[in-house]
Amino acid sequence: MKAPDPLPSYYVIGESRTNADNAITRIFGSFYVAFEVDAATEEVLAFNCTHTLDLTEDYLRRLFVGQHFPSIDAWLEGVLKQHYGGSSRRAVLTSYRDALKRYRSMRAGSE
């Protein structure tokens, strides 16, 4: 059987722990973010995350989709501090950075 042609994008997940009293931790154990990133432009094409409220995922999706994936690191912490009041703020930042690390490893061919 022939292997499929490679997709023109990367699928990458980042993981982080939230604080112990957070509903996400109680339900899922960790906070996860998932990105589909265009291989040529590095634009975020799609986004999902673990969440207990749909608005959390909707808000974060609007924040990430359409952005240049590696460049998000330059502004994410400030935007989250000013505009994101969810208890998972630190987990969003940490899980994005975990996903970025995995993404860079995948692009380098070492993962």
Side-chain angles (χ1 to χ4, degrees), residues 3-41:
D5 291 331
L7 295 173
S9 63
Y10 291 90
Y11 173 76
V12 62
I13 291 179
E15 177 185 8
S16 176
R17 299 270 178 200
T18 60
N19 55 21
D21 63 342
N22 184 297
I24 292 170
T25 301
R26 286 194 302 267
I27 295 168
F28 301 107
S30 291
F31 182 80
Y32 294 95
V33 292
F35 298 90
E36 181 181 5
V37 181
D38 185 277
T41 66

Side-chain angles (χ1 to χ4, degrees), residues 1 8-9 11-12 27 30 41 58 64 66 70 75-76 82 95 100:
M1 175 182 263
S9 63
Y11 173 76
V12 62
I27 295 168
S30 291
T41 66
D58 294 343
F64 289 118
W75 52 262
L76 182 59
Q82 287 186 333
S95 59
L100 181 60

Side-chain angles (χ1 to χ4, degrees), residues 11-88:
Y11 173 76
V12 62
I13 291 179
E15 177 185 8
S16 176
R17 299 270 178 200
T18 60
N19 55 21
D21 63 342
N22 184 297
I24 292 170
T25 301
R26 286 194 302 267
I27 295 168
F28 301 107
S30 291
F31 182 80
Y32 294 95
V33 292
F35 298 90
E36 181 181 5
V37 181
D38 185 277
T41 66
E42 298 188 300
E43 176 185 341
V44 177
L45 302 174
F47 171 84
N48 286 109
C49 68
T50 51
H51 62 281
T52 55
L53 302 171
D54 290 341
L55 184 56
T56 300
E57 184 174 53
D58 294 343
Y59 186 87
L60 293 173
R61 181 179 294 119
R62 289 193 311 273
L63 190 66
F64 289 118
V65 171
Q67 299 297 321
H68 182 255
F69 187 62
S71 300
I72 292 169
D73 199 37
W75 52 262
L76 182 59
E77 188 169 8
V79 167
L80 291 174
K81 281 181 183 176
Q82 287 186 333
H83 300 281
Y84 184 78
S87 61
S88 58

